[in-house]
Amino acid sequence: MKKRIFSGAQPTGELHIGNYLGALKNWVALQDEYASFYCIVNLHAITLPQDPKVLRQKTLDLARIYLAAGVDPEKCTIFIQSDVPEHAELTWVLSCLTRMGELERMTQFKDKGKGNERAGVGLFTYPVLMAADILLYQTDLVPIGQDQKQHLELTRDLAERFNRDFGDTFKIPEPFIPPVGAKIMSLQDPAKKMSKSDENLNGSIFLLDDADTITKKIKRAVTDSGTDINFDETRPAIKNLLTIYQLLSGKTADECVAHFAGSGYGDFKGQLAETVVEFLRPFQVRIKEYDDASLDAILKRGAEKARSIASETLQDVYKKTGIK
Ligand code: AQP
């Protein structure tokens, strides 16, 4: 039997090339080898306020993004989180095993909610929902960007705790963090990761940005002092731009450095912009190919398949905990 993958993205804001390079690209690369479950995690989205009408549309748009990025519905299970109610049910059981201190240590909560009396409880317990997402499918591997590593460690801790207290139930998942591209940084501040929720829109290249916008954003991207174009850690802005170029051009790191030896920043940025635009062009065409009916059918089929597995795990959990 093939090993299983679970991963997901939130239907919040616009997906950017960080999401693509850190996650989606690897989903596609792994889909032949693994039985893959790719979820649109709409329950995670409401940990921050969302406009209800926009959220539903974004949820469907994100499914289109998965498909246009190359996630193949014939090979993978693509589904919406809320179509499988077991995610919310297992979250409750796991939250009863989770310690406040564990969640307080989560850096994403510290960044987004800590110290804010009005921050939602959902924002605090979000990592438990993520643990439930993964553990329901007896997942072997979770492809994620660097920012989710801490949440995956909590998932593993909760699975081990449950197995110890109630008997062997969950598989302990391993993270898959790509060696290059796990943390694409903002074009405006190389100390910050590229993020959907960044208020500075010039910091992110969105998957649906047009050629002109992409070129402008790359032209305006901050650079470091000096002139060399390489992967030097002490020059994080250039390293970040070159990493994007490397991943989208398919060249090796050495080939990239050799390619730009002697070039100035202007020339480098011009070639990078062209590479990004050319890479996104076919993606932006494909995204228009999925009509509502075919999308509905893919998501319905995905939810049925996901549910058949998720309900088995939840029944086992309920039996072991004495709920049923
Ligand atoms: N900058 C990034 N570089 C590499 N990978 C990234 N990911 C996110 N940002 C980067 C990975 O993308 C996947 C889906 O992310 P998500 O939708 O769960 O949202 P997130 O991790 O919270 O990312 P964002 O884009 O920064 O969204 P907001 O601003 O809403 O928080 C995940 O695997 C993530 O690791």
Side-chain angles (χ1 to χ4, degrees), residues 10 16 18-19 22 112 145 147-148 182 184 193-197:
Q10 300 185 63
H16 48 72
N19 297 126
K112 288 186 178 173
D147 62 323
Q148 295 295 338
I184 299 296
K193 79 162 187 143
M194 191 177 282
S195 177
K196 296 191 215 102
S197 52

Side-chain angles (χ1 to χ4, degrees), residues 48 103-116 119 123-124 146-148 150-151 183 191-193 195 197:
L48 291 174
L103 295 181
E104 272 162 6
R105 282 195 290 278
M106 295 291 131
T107 51
Q108 202 175 70
F109 176 70
K110 286 190 202 160
D111 293 345
K112 288 186 178 173
K114 186 114 185 178
N116 175 3
L123 191 61
F124 185 62
Q146 186 69 35
D147 62 323
Q148 295 295 338
Q150 197 188 26
H151 292 162
K183 196 170 184 186
K192 263 176 39 186
K193 79 162 187 143
S195 177
S197 52

